[in-house]
Each structure stands twice: as C-alpha cells, then as structure tokens.
Amino acid sequence: LVKESRRAIGEFSLWMASTRQVLEVLDSREAVNLSSPPKHHEIDGIFLSNLKSNKDTFVYLVQTFSRAAQHGDQDWAHYVKRQCVAYSALALLQPGNFAGASAPPPDYASLKLFLLLEESGQLRAPPGFVQELLSKLETLELPSYPTPHGCLKSLTLGNSNSVIPSTISRLSKKQVTDNIAAEFLMMEELCNNKAAMKLLFESQYWNPKGVSFNMAQVIEMKTILGSFLRLSCYPESQIVAGQLQPIRHPVGQDCFSDCVHKAKLDIDSSVSQVRTFLQASQMKTLNMMKIMLKEPSAQQEVFSWIATVLKHNEIRLKLGYHVGYLMARSSSTGFLFNLLSVLLKLCKPFADPDHPKALWHKIDSTWLLSKHRMDLSNETRLATTRGNAQGENEAGETQEEMDHEEHIEVSKSFGTISEYFFLALRCLNIVHLSQQIKDYAKISRELQERNQSLNQSSEDFHERMAEIAVLVERRLCYDVVLMDPNLVDDLLLFARLIARWLLRVADAPPTILPLPPKPSAMFKAIPEFCVEGVTDILRMVAQTNIPTLELMGMPTLQDLFNFLMVFSSNDVYIKNPYLRGKLLEVMSLLIPRGRNEGFELGGGSLATLFEEHDIARKFLVPTLIRFYVDIEVTGRDYSNNQFYEKFHYRHYMAELLMYIMKFPYYITALKKESENVGEFVRFINMMLNDIIHCIDEGLLKLADIRKIEFERADTQAWNAKPEEERNQEEQHLQTMYGQAGWGLQAATEVLTMMEKLTKHVLDPFLRAELADRVAAMLNYVLKTIAGPRCIELKVQHPEKCYFKPKELLALVVEVFMNLAKHDKFALAVVRDERSYDHEVLVKVHRLIRTHALEDESFCQQFLDYMQVLQESKQSQMELDAKIEEAPDEFLDPITQDIMTDPVILPTSGNVMDRQAIMRHLLSDETDPFNRMKLTPDMLQPAEDLKKRIEEFLASRRT
C-alpha cells in the first residue's frame, strides 16, 4: 500500500507539474483538467479559449511561442509552437477573424512583424519564430489565396502595405544615422526563405521592367536593394534653372551644421560617428546580399540587378552630365558609392594577388566581350583594331596581320569571381572617382578662399559665416565617405588586383619587362576604363589621404609602380597618349614632398621608390622624353582641347623629370638618351614651342590687364560707364588674370626643366637646326621682361597671375649661361637680328647684380660673356659684308641666308639649307613647297652646290 501510494503520489505530482507548465505556457487563468501528457485536443481547447479572450491575438501567440520554446524537449511544447505559428499566420492574413482586431489597420501585418524586430521594442521575436512563420505561410493553403505560395505572397507582396513595400516606404523616410535594424533583420529573414526570394525576384520591387526616363532613380528608390543602398550622407547636386546647385544633405544638417564653431577634435568625433553608421549600413547590406548569393538562382538575379543599375547609370560618363538634364536621370552618388563598397568587399576573398591559391587567376577576361550582363562594345579599347585609310589599324598592323589575328573564344558562362570583379570594375568606372575628387577639391578651395576673405568688421560678417558653415557641412559629408579608411584600403587592394590582372593579360614575364612585341587580341579588346580604374584610385588616395600612400606596404607599392611604368612606357599596348599621360600624372603624385603638402612622414615608403626601382631607372627617362613628343604629335586624334590639355600632362612629366634629376643614375640615363638625336631634338623643339607660346600668352595678357586697370584708375570716366559694361570689363579683367597666370606658370615650369637639362646636356640644344631657335627664344624673353617696353607689364596685382619678373629673369639668365659653355652658342645669339640687343644685356646684368639674383661670381661670368658676344657680333658683321653679293642659288629660298649644307627636296625638287628644312620637319613632316610627305631620311645632299658655296666663302674670307 505504501509503494502504491508513493507511485500514485508521484504520478499525481508529474501530472500537476505538467498541467502547471502547459497552463503557464498557454497563459490560461482557468482551472483545467489535463491528461498526462497533455493531449493535442486539450491544448487546442485552451488555445481557442484564450484566442477569444485576448485583445491582441498576435502578441499572445508570439509570447506563447517564446514560453513554449523554454520547454523545447517536450512533445507538447513542440505542438504549442507549431500551433502558435499556424495561428500567427492566420492572425496576420485575416486579423479581423480574431477578437480584439475587428477593425485592424491596412498595414497590420507589417506593423506586427516590424514590432517583433525592433531593437527597443517590448515584443521581441523568439529565435526561429519568423523563419517558422514564413515556412508555414509558404505551405499554407487557403481559399482566399489560391495561387502557389499565395499566403506568403499576400503577406510580403500583396499590396502597398505588405512587408516588402512597407520596408521600402519606411526606409524612404529614414537616413543612415537612424535606427534601421528592424528593416535589415526583416530582409535577412526573407532572404533565408527561398520561396520568399523567388516571389521577390518576380516582383516589381526587385528589377522593374520597361523603359523609364529616370529608371536609375526608380531602381534606387523603389526596389528593395536600392532602398538600403540609398542610405548615405554623400553630398549631391541638382540642376536648377540650368545651373548646378548643391543640395544640403539631411545628415549633414543634423550632424555638422554647427561644426564651424567646434574644435577639430569634436569635428573628427562627429565625422567618425556618422562614418560608423555608414559602415554598419554597408556591412548589413553586404550580409543580406551574401545570404542571397548562396543560392545559384538568386546569384543570377543579384548580378542582373547590379548590371541593370550600372547600365542605367552609364549616362554619368557622358560629356555634359554635370550641366544638363542627365543628372536628373541617374542614381545618387551616395547610392553608387555604397554599391561599390559592397562589391569591393565581395572581391576581397580573391583580391590578394599573393594568396597561395591564386584565386584571382580564375578571372575570365572574355566577360568584357560577353553581352550577358552589359554591352561594352562601344567602349574605347586599349589598342583597337579599327583600320585606317592606309590599311593599318591603330596598333600599326597591316590588313594582312589583322586578318590573321587570333580569334577570341568568349566563354558561355562565368564564375562568381569574374562576375564580382568586372561588376566592381564597371561600378568604379561609373562612380567616376576623378570627378568626385574634382568636386571635393573645388569645395575645399572655395572654403579656403571664403575663410581668407572673411572680415569680422564687415557688415555681412554673419551672413558670410552662415555660408561658410554650409560649406563646412558639405565638406564634412565628403570626408565621411572619401576618407573612410575601410573604403581606401579596399580600393587600394582592388587597384593592385587590377594592375596584376592587366599585366597577366599582357603576358608580362616574371621580370615584368619586356612585354611581347605585339599585344594579344584579348589585351587589345580591354576597355580603357580598366586602366583608368587604377589611376582614379591612386589619384583619389594621393589627393585626400597622403599618409596612406606613405605607409603603403612595399609589395602593393611595387605592383602599382610596375603597372604605371610598364604601360606608360609602351605606346603599342596603350595607344591613347592621354591615357599614358594619366599614368604619368599618377606617378608624379608618388613623388615625396614636404609637410606643407601633407607628407607627414617624409615620404615613408615613397622616399626611395624612384631611386631604387629597377624598371624606372632603366625606362623612366626615355618614357618621359617620348611622351612629351607623342602628346603633341598624336594628341589631335583624341581630344578637341588637345592644345591646352597637352600642357596639363606635360606639367606632370616636367615634375617627374625635375625630381629624378636629383639622382646620379637618372642623370646618366638622360645623357644616354640625348644620344638618340632624332627623338631628343624633337623634344627640345617642343619645349621651345611651349615656352614661346606660354610667354606670349602670359605677357601679352599682362599688357591687356594694364590697359583695363589704367582705364579703371580714371574714376570719373569709369563710373560714367553703364553698370553692365563695367561688370563685363571686371569679368574680362579676372579672365585676363587667369589666362596670364596659366601662361606664366607653364612657361616658368618649362624653363625650369630646360635649366635642369642644360646643366647636364648641351650638344642637342645647339645642333644646327636648333641653335638659332634656342638663342632667339632666350633673347626674346630677356628683351620682353628687361627691354624698353617692360613697363607695359606692370600690373596692380602681379601675384594674382604668378608674375614674378625677378625670378623669371634669373631663370632665363641661368639657362643662358648654361648654354654659354658651348662654343656655338655665341654665334647663334648674335645672329638673332630681331631680339639680340647689347643694351638689354647690360640692363640684365645690372638687375641681377643690384637685386642679388645671382652671386658675384655668376654676375662677373655674365659680364665677361657679354664681351664675347660683342666680339662675335663684330666678326659676324664683317663676314656678312663680305658675302653680301652671294649668288641667289647660294641662298636658302625661305630664310634668304647663305646655305652651308644644301639638300635637295625629292618631293618638289627645290634646294634648301639642311638646318632650315630640318627645323621645319621637326614640327611638320611635309615639303613646304607642295605639302607632300617628307622625312629627314629622304633629303638628298647637293654635293656640287655645297662645294661651290664653300669655295665662295673661302675666297671671301681671304
């Protein structure tokens, strides 16, 4: 009896405990007799009773699921959870059928689901609840939803109040600094359900079909991925009345509007906080996309969506994008930066070229020729195969060679590595980093100018401070994105990957050089924007984050510098001289400079880069010389503004040349290159052309400026002019200052380069075809800035146009005296009847001595050389008098000087002096008499005529 009693008491205790647990889980307040273990129909009875009495059915079901999850090992607990999920599905689909929800709002289901996922919400989703709910909706069949997955579709996509449209709507009202955790969690839950993803891919909220004027903006604002990627703080602009106007970003107004009054430490903290929000948003979007990309079918949808975005934003690459209606048709720059950031992170697993598995070797270059994602057939290629009238293509190949060119077999399918890489590369191209850096530099300059011109005593001080505050706000929004260390690191890693990939496609050997004589068909077909991707990244980092360059690891730096050297030095692989110019421009940004230019670490890794890089030591000097000529000769095929654009790239070439002249090895290389007479003489001729044009451009504009300023000095006459006329002349005056500054800066730079060169190389400058031009140029500049009319160059604000007459005079005199070491120079100087003037040289000597522009020893050398010139002038005058009556056949038909080396032009039969025709051929390889093709090797010596001229001269001298 005792044993039976104990057993009965134990069973009763178990029954009581089980009953108590079930009642607690179901939140039943009534005494109910349950069997042990509880039967399903008994649990159902309690459920039905509670569902009728609860005011919020869905909340009750979620809380019940959470309590049941604590008893997960019990069969009844599993049953309770299943029932909670089933009833929850019904409560969301048909809330009016349950007590307490007779008149639910239209977005009842969405509100409840977001309530579950809110971080600060009182109702938190139990682990696994949302996924079980989606799975139940996937299999649930109700008469009201007859289509496959009808219940799931109704909840997620049924109408504008469904989950996905509601997510898009909620995000459209939020900024990146707002709490958007619930929206991200919601999408992650949906991404983990294959059926939900399939429904999404088929809907208008994924990839809208059809053609729209502003489809790029539709995708950004109305698709689910676009809504997440839209979250940024990047400053945007819009066209208003035909003018580009900045838009104040809400994040900037909230976080940076008062930064003009804050200390730098506080500003940095604010920027860091906003950047943290942005990075978190990007990482959550990345994780969401990674979930999608696990499924092969979803992969294709994601790739297609990205390709569609890029296709509709190609308008950003068109000329005039910033000044016309095209801007209204594209996505925001912040959206594209976020997309780029995500794509770069997807590339990171294979982006390290030194990884033992070498996953980057799986990049299939024929993706660029396939049209399965986008059509790139209209992109400019590195070495196109378009033929010309002579039967040659731009790579110099004949028609026969083109006919036998290898056929490129385009792959039928591509792996994820190729998809990630080329989509990221195209996105980088469309973001147009170079334009973003220009905009960033522009606002930085404007901010600096506003601060410099600020006057606390002025009446509009507060108004000006408000304008500066807006500029600071916009500048900080740029800083958040462009100076994000994560983005910079990812970009540099990607740039290195692009560089190594291009070298691999070019079949570069382990030693990097030499490349094969002819590029492969695949390399020729690569679009130019692939190379520009590297240059844009390096330019961005160099102009916004110099310490990153200084601290760059040597393997990365070596790979990038190899890339710059190899392709800037090869006009067969890179046909476009302006693209090679971009490579040299970026190379010049790697020159270590002082702290005042942002180099806080003395150059860091860059300090010995040029000095120790083997390829640069061997090829950089000839590359720079050849480029200076190429940009002049072939530039007209590539740009409508080639005349002025060539100076842009020559500036960087000059910076490089002047920097490397500090190292003895490069000086030796320069002397060796000067032995390549034809190329080096053309280079010097181009320099002379540039100096003459730029000096004229600058000094003549100074005369115009002086004239306007003189008119303005007569206050009475000036004020009598109509206001509109005065404003026009003021604008014209500022334009003149700008043009004069450009010319004088360019001329000074080329003269400085010439001064460096003439310290080490003289013979090429004084060859027969160049000596007179060099001397005439120097005489002309000296006479202009120190001659009797130099007063015409005096303007009120010479600093605004970079006119520094003393420095310019000293520079020209230094070049003059470098060349004076050669015995041919004196004769060339005095032969210049147009500009040589002894009185001008006397004044020059007085100026350099009086103003201490040079030391006493130099001044004395200049004075001594003036005497040498006087003697040479006297000798030349005596000789000219003796040969004054020379026969006409001895005279050059163009210069009318007696010939010393007559040659026959085979194309016209005329005879000219060799130095005169060679000087002409340096700039124009045509016969000056009939414009037919003529090259130096075609000239035929007129031996008999030369002998007679020599006999004539000998007789006159004696």
Side-chain angles (χ1 to χ4, degrees):
L1 287 173
V2 172
K3 290 180 180 179
E4 286 295 321
S5 296
R6 287 175 177 173
R7 183 181 63 77
I9 291 171
E11 289 180 353
F12 179 75
S13 298
L14 290 172
W15 176 80
M16 285 294 294
S18 178
T19 299
R20 187 170 57 253
Q21 288 177 350
V22 172
L23 295 178
E24 288 175 353
V25 166
L26 297 177
D27 195 26
S28 175
R29 295 173 176 79
E30 299 180 8
V32 181
N33 293 324
L34 297 175
S35 56
S36 181
K39 299 293 188 295
H40 291 176
H41 70 274
E42 295 172 333
I43 294 174
D44 288 343
I46 300 175
F47 252 126
L48 291 174
S49 175
N50 286 348
L51 289 176
K52 293 176 182 179
S53 60
N54 269 281
K55 292 183 178 181
D56 195 326
T57 303
F58 184 74
V59 172
Y60 164 73
L61 291 170
V62 173
Q63 293 172 341
T64 301
F65 183 97
S66 182
R67 292 190 291 268
Q70 300 173 16
H71 304 276
D73 56 341
Q74 302 288 332
D75 175 69
W76 62 268
H78 287 295
Y79 181 74
V80 169
K81 290 197 295 182
R82 288 196 300 273
Q83 291 298 88
C84 286
V85 169
Y87 281 117
S88 293
L90 293 174
L92 293 175
L93 291 172
Q94 301 173 342
N97 294 338
F98 293 85
S102 56
D107 55 351
Y108 174 84
S110 299
L111 288 173
K112 292 301 180 184
L113 287 175
F114 281 117
L115 182 64
L116 291 180
L117 301 174
E118 292 285 358
E119 288 182 339
S120 58
Q122 296 180 352
L123 183 66
R124 296 300 302 276
F129 175 78
V130 177
Q131 275 308 304
E132 290 190 35
L133 176 63
L134 293 174
S135 298
K136 182 63 180 178
L137 288 165
E138 180 183 345
T139 58
L140 186 64
E141 295 182 4
L142 294 175
S144 304
Y145 312 100
T147 59
H149 308 310
C151 295
L152 180 61
K153 184 174 183 180
S154 175
L155 181 73
T156 57
L157 295 160
N159 54 53
S160 60
N161 295 311
S162 300
V163 171
I164 289 177
S166 294
T167 303
I168 294 173
S169 177
R170 287 166 64 98
L171 288 171
S172 68
K173 302 169 186 175
K174 293 188 175 185
Q175 299 298 329
V176 71
T177 50
D178 295 330
N179 185 352
I180 47 179
E183 288 80 3
F184 275 112
L185 289 173
M186 178 67 73
M187 270 309 298
E188 286 184 10
E189 296 286 2
L190 291 173
C191 290
N192 279 304
N193 184 279
K194 295 181 181 179
M197 279 295 91
K198 183 178 179 182
L199 291 171
L200 172 61
F201 294 148
E202 295 171 351
S203 74
Q204 62 177 327
Y205 301 109
W206 179 254
N207 204 347
K209 302 297 187 291
V211 179
S212 173
F213 171 79
N214 59 339
M215 181 58 78
Q217 292 189 351
V218 170
I219 294 174
E220 176 180 345
M221 302 299 299
K222 301 298 184 182
T223 68
I224 191 65
L225 267 185
S227 298
F228 284 104
L229 290 169
R230 179 193 66 82
L231 299 169
S232 179
C233 67
Y234 198 80
E236 307 290 345
S237 300
Q238 62 183 354
I239 300 295
V240 178
Q243 298 294 322
L244 188 65
Q245 299 291 339
I247 302 173
R248 293 186 67 185
H249 201 287
V251 173
Q253 294 183 62
D254 291 342
C255 303
F256 304 137
S257 59
D258 60 342
C259 280
V260 71
H261 304 294
K262 288 185 177 180
K264 185 177 185 305
L265 189 63
D266 295 330
I267 294 175
D268 291 344
S269 176
S270 298
V271 170
S272 179
Q273 289 176 4
V274 176
R275 186 178 291 143
T276 300
F277 280 109
L278 179 63
Q279 291 172 344
S281 175
Q282 291 170 349
M283 287 304 301
K284 289 176 181 177
T285 306
L286 172 67
N287 293 334
M288 184 171 65
M289 292 179 67
K290 282 183 174 179
I291 296 172
M292 296 182 190
L293 291 166
K294 289 178 181 179
E295 290 294 323
S297 58
Q299 278 182 5
Q300 299 307 312
E301 294 291 343
V302 174
F303 293 151
S304 177
W305 183 86
I306 296 172
T308 302
V309 169
L310 300 180
K311 176 184 175 183
H312 288 293
N313 279 287
E314 288 175 352
I315 55 175
R316 296 173 66 92
L317 303 175
K318 294 182 179 294
L319 292 174
Y321 168 75
H322 281 83
V323 294
Y325 70 95
L326 294 176
M327 182 175 286
R329 296 173 52 192
S330 69
S331 302
S332 67
T333 307
F335 165 84
L336 291 170
F337 259 115
N338 284 338
L339 178 59
L340 175 62
S341 178
V342 169
L343 288 169
L344 291 175
K345 286 177 171 58
L346 289 172
C347 291
K348 285 186 77 171
F350 62 87
D352 184 1
D354 294 330
H355 193 280
K357 293 184 179 179
L359 296 175
W360 68 282
H361 285 187
K362 295 183 179 180
I363 296 174
D364 187 344
S365 302
T366 63
W367 189 99
L368 295 165
L369 305 179
S370 170
K371 299 180 181 179
H372 75 296
R373 294 284 175 233
M374 58 187 71
D375 185 358
L376 300 175
S377 59
N378 291 326
E379 291 294 323
T380 305
R381 309 289 169 171
L382 293 178
T384 60
T385 55
R386 174 167 48 85
N388 59 24
Q390 286 74 38
E392 295 180 348
N393 65 6
E394 294 183 5
E397 296 170 322
T398 64
Q399 185 62 50
E400 183 179 357
E401 290 173 319
M402 287 188 283
D403 292 340
H404 290 87
E405 188 171 61
E406 61 180 292
H407 175 68
I408 303 174
E409 188 67 36
V410 179
S411 302
K412 295 181 179 180
S413 61
F414 300 90
T416 54
I417 288 179
S418 297
E419 297 279 9
Y420 291 157
F421 177 74
F422 288 112
L423 288 173
L425 192 52
R426 185 58 167 173
C427 186
L428 176 65
N429 172 232
I430 288 173
V431 166
H432 209 178
L433 279 182
S434 59
Q435 183 60 51
Q436 308 313 318
I437 295 305
K438 287 179 183 177
D439 294 344
Y440 179 77
K442 180 180 178 181
I443 195 172
S444 298
R445 285 194 305 271
E446 185 177 356
L447 187 57
Q448 183 179 12
E449 291 169 0
R450 293 288 185 92
N451 279 319
Q452 290 175 347
S453 63
L454 190 63
N455 185 353
Q456 293 187 1
S457 60
S458 62
E459 296 180 357
D460 59 348
F461 172 75
H462 294 291
E463 182 181 342
R464 286 177 174 271
M465 279 298 296
E467 293 173 352
I468 290 175
V470 173
L471 289 175
V472 170
E473 172 191 309
R474 188 170 178 84
R475 162 71 184 267
L476 293 177
C477 286
Y478 274 113
D479 286 346
V480 170
V481 179
L482 296 179
M483 301 187 73
D484 179 359
N486 290 349
L487 176 65
V488 171
D489 289 345
D490 291 346
L491 283 170
L492 286 173
L493 184 62
F494 192 63
R496 186 187 182 197
L497 176 61
I498 299 170
R500 288 283 287 268
W501 164 69
L502 283 168
L503 287 170
R504 186 166 184 262
V505 179
D507 298 320
T511 56
I512 307 300
L513 286 174
L515 296 179
K518 294 285 187 180
S520 66
M522 185 64 244
F523 187 87
K524 293 178 186 178
I526 291 176
E528 286 186 354
F529 72 75
C530 297
V531 173
E532 289 173 338
V534 181
T535 61
D536 286 351
I537 290 171
L538 289 177
R539 187 189 292 110
M540 170 189 160
V541 177
Q543 294 180 353
T544 62
N545 211 324
I546 290 174
T548 300
L549 287 180
E550 296 182 283
L551 297 172
M552 191 184 299
M554 286 308 296
T556 299
L557 192 57
Q558 288 286 342
D559 276 347
L560 293 172
F561 203 75
N562 287 342
F563 165 83
L564 295 174
M565 272 306 313
V566 167
F567 292 118
S568 65
S569 64
N570 198 310
D571 58 359
V572 175
Y573 280 74
I574 307 289
K575 294 299 298 179
N576 184 346
Y578 289 97
L579 184 54
R580 299 203 306 277
K582 289 181 181 179
L583 295 171
L584 292 175
E585 175 187 351
V586 170
M587 194 184 298
S588 74
L589 298 177
L590 302 181
I591 297 174
R593 306 171 197 271
R595 285 177 174 270
N596 60 326
E597 296 189 55
F599 286 78
E600 299 292 335
L601 307 174
S605 301
L606 306 176
T608 59
L609 178 63
F610 287 87
E611 189 176 4
E612 297 178 354
H613 197 277
D614 291 336
I615 297 176
R617 290 171 57 158
K618 187 174 182 181
F619 293 100
L620 184 52
V621 170
T623 295
L624 295 176
I625 302 300
R626 189 179 308 115
F627 173 77
Y628 203 96
V629 175
D630 286 351
I631 201 72
E632 174 84 25
V633 175
T634 59
R636 64 181 63 92
D637 296 331
Y638 291 90
S639 171
N640 293 327
N641 301 315
Q642 80 281 355
F643 185 78
Y644 290 100
E645 196 171 357
K646 70 181 180 184
F647 289 102
H648 172 79
Y649 292 113
R650 282 177 174 171
H651 161 73
Y652 298 107
M653 174 265 169
E655 279 197 331
L656 284 166
L657 193 59
M658 288 187 285
Y659 172 70
I660 62 177
M661 284 299 101
K662 298 193 305 182
F663 306 116
Y665 190 93
Y666 286 103
I667 294 174
T668 303
L670 175 67
K671 292 178 180 178
K672 183 178 180 181
E673 182 63 20
S674 69
E675 296 172 4
N676 180 8
V677 176
E679 191 78 26
F680 206 83
V681 166
R682 293 174 74 197
F683 162 59
I684 295 172
N685 186 62
M686 300 301 176
M687 279 202 301
L688 296 174
N689 290 343
D690 289 351
I691 293 171
I692 293 169
H693 171 78
C694 294
I695 282 288
D696 280 343
E697 183 80 8
L699 299 184
L700 291 177
K701 290 295 186 297
L702 288 180
D704 293 341
I705 291 171
R706 179 177 172 82
K707 181 180 177 182
I708 296 176
E709 290 178 341
F710 184 78
E711 291 177 359
R712 197 170 55 171
D714 186 349
T715 309
Q716 185 176 358
W718 178 260
N719 292 334
K721 292 184 177 184
E723 182 179 359
E724 183 178 355
E725 184 179 345
R726 293 201 307 270
N727 290 338
Q728 289 178 350
E729 292 202 24
E730 284 286 354
Q731 293 177 358
H732 181 61
L733 179 64
Q734 298 308 315
T735 301
M736 291 295 102
Y737 265 112
Q739 292 176 344
W742 172 85
L744 291 169
Q745 275 189 302
T748 302
E749 185 173 69
V750 182
L751 277 167
T752 303
M753 181 167 61
M754 192 171 180
E755 190 273 331
K756 300 287 185 187
L757 294 172
T758 52
K759 278 185 177 179
H760 308 290
V761 176
L762 289 178
D763 286 348
F765 286 89
L766 293 166
R767 285 180 60 85
E769 60 267 36
L770 283 179
D772 288 350
R773 283 206 73 203
V774 172
M777 180 273 293
L778 295 172
N779 285 335
Y780 169 72
V781 177
L782 289 175
K783 186 175 181 179
T784 304
I785 61 178
R789 301 183 64 180
C790 63
I791 189 64
E792 297 177 3
L793 306 179
K794 189 175 182 179
V795 296
Q796 293 178 2
H797 304 287
E799 71 283 353
K800 290 177 63 175
C801 54
Y802 304 96
F803 182 43
K804 303 174 181 179
K806 295 178 184 178
E807 294 179 13
L808 181 59
L809 179 64
L811 182 59
V812 176
V813 171
E814 286 171 8
V815 176
F816 194 91
M817 291 307 293
N818 284 343
L819 293 168
K821 298 171 186 176
H822 199 289
D823 55 6
K824 293 183 180 179
F825 183 60
L827 187 59
V829 171
V830 299
R831 276 202 302 255
D832 176 20
E833 297 180 356
R834 178 185 177 188
S835 300
Y836 171 69
D837 188 336
H838 180 73
E839 295 304 318
V840 170
L841 295 184
V842 171
K843 183 178 179 181
V844 168
H845 175 261
R846 186 176 67 251
L847 289 171
I848 62 175
R849 185 186 291 275
T850 303
H851 296 285
L853 302 180
E854 302 289 349
D855 59 33
E856 189 61 32
S857 173
F858 184 94
C859 293
Q860 185 59 47
Q861 290 174 17
F862 186 77
L863 182 62
D864 294 341
Y865 195 67
M866 288 168 55
Q867 182 61 36
V868 172
L869 292 175
Q870 281 287 77
E871 294 171 359
S872 297
K873 180 65 174 177
Q874 183 63 34
S875 299
Q876 184 64 32
M877 289 173 62
E878 292 174 359
L879 179 60
D880 288 344
K882 293 178 180 179
I883 61 174
E884 189 174 357
E885 298 178 359
D888 288 346
E889 62 173 333
F890 291 177
L891 303 180
D892 183 274
I894 293 179
T895 66
Q896 289 301 300
D897 292 330
I898 192 165
M899 295 184 286
T900 57
D901 186 8
V903 292
I904 300 171
L905 314 187
T907 45
S908 65
N910 288 287
V911 177
M912 286 185 67
D913 192 23
R914 183 182 293 276
Q915 72 177 50
I917 186 60
M918 287 294 292
R919 189 183 307 131
H920 167 79
L921 295 178
L922 286 174
S923 303
D924 185 1
E925 289 191 337
T926 61
D927 188 319
F929 298 99
N930 59 17
R931 311 303 298 166
M932 293 181 64
K933 178 75 172 176
L934 181 65
T935 57
D937 58 293
M938 297 168 63
L939 301 177
Q940 300 170 1
E943 298 289 356
D944 181 62
L945 180 59
K946 181 179 180 181
K947 184 178 179 181
R948 287 188 288 127
I949 293 174
E950 290 174 347
E951 291 173 352
F952 171 79
L953 292 174
S955 66
R956 294 296 178 174
R957 288 193 179 99
T958 59

